[in-house]
């Protein structure tokens, strides 16, 4: 895959309009909807602009935002850059990462982000993308707070 557009075209082809919650393919797979394509492109652009090296994401879902940010990391080609992402359900983000050649950038954990112990295993977080259940956001922020840089984006 040479361009972020190729990745986003795949998601449009696979899932149709991701802003359409009535699409039966979404209901059949999960209860929530993935990030819209324009938001995925904005995340890609943000990661490229800020030259992020370490990203933590909660609420992976099918991986639209995960792979858009992983593609940005890959395009920047900073040594060791990666996105660590968490979801209690596994919708196959690792398979998609492999399919698009982004497996070295994506580290998926099939568990709650609040169970993660990344202290000492991860460089300081440049971007913390909290996209899981709204009821978990405050706890997730507190959980990952010690790993944030002063300049981190949340």
């Amino acid at each position: 895959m040479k361009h972020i557009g190729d990745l986003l075209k795949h998601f449009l082809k696979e899932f149709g309009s991701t802003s359409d919650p009535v699409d039966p393919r979404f209901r059949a797979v999960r209860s929530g909807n993935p990030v819209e394509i324009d938001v995925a492109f904005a995340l890609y652009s943000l990661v490229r602009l800020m030259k992020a090296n370490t990203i933590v994401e909660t609420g992976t879902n099918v991986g639209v935002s995960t792979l858009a940010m992983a593609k940005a990391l890959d395009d920047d080609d900073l040594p060791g850059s990666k996105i660590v992402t968490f979801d209690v359900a596994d919708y196959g983000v690792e398979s998609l990462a492999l399919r698009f050649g982004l497996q070295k950038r994506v580290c998926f954990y099939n568990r709650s982000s609040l169970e993660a112990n990344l202290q000492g295993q991860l460089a300081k977080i440049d971007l913390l993308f909290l996209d899981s259940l709204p009821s978990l956001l405050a706890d997730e922020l507190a959980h990952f707070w010690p790993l944030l840089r002063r300049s981190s984006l949340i």
Side-chain angles (χ1 to χ4, degrees), residues 26-80:
F26 286 120
R27 284 196 302 266
V29 177
R30 65 202 153 284
S31 60
N33 289 324
V35 166
E36 290 85 4
I37 297 302
D38 55 344
V39 174
F41 187 75
L43 288 168
Y44 168 86
S45 300
L46 176 67
V47 171
R48 292 290 314 264
L49 179 69
M50 66 183 291
K51 301 285 187 217
N53 194 52
T54 303
I55 301 169
V56 170
E57 174 192 38
T58 63
T60 311
N61 203 299
V62 296
V64 176
S65 57
T66 306
L67 294 185
M69 290 186 283
K71 176 65 175 146
L73 294 173
D74 201 58
D75 287 350
D76 279 341
D77 200 26
L78 296 172

Side-chain angles (χ1 to χ4, degrees), residues 98-149:
L98 182 63
R99 180 175 174 182
F100 288 106
L102 299 170
Q103 66 276 8
K104 70 179 181 179
R105 304 291 182 196
V106 176
C107 182
F108 172 70
Y109 290 99
N110 186 202
R111 64 176 179 242
S112 168
S113 59
L114 297 175
E115 297 172 8
N117 181 9
L118 300 176
Q119 200 76 35
Q121 299 177 30
L122 192 65
K124 289 286 187 177
I125 299 169
D126 296 307
L127 174 61
L128 178 60
F129 185 56
L130 301 175
D131 195 28
S132 60
L133 296 173
S135 60
L136 297 177
L137 296 181
D139 290 336
E140 287 175 336
L141 180 58
H143 183 74
F144 290 110
W145 189 264
L147 294 172
L148 295 175
R149 298 178 189 282

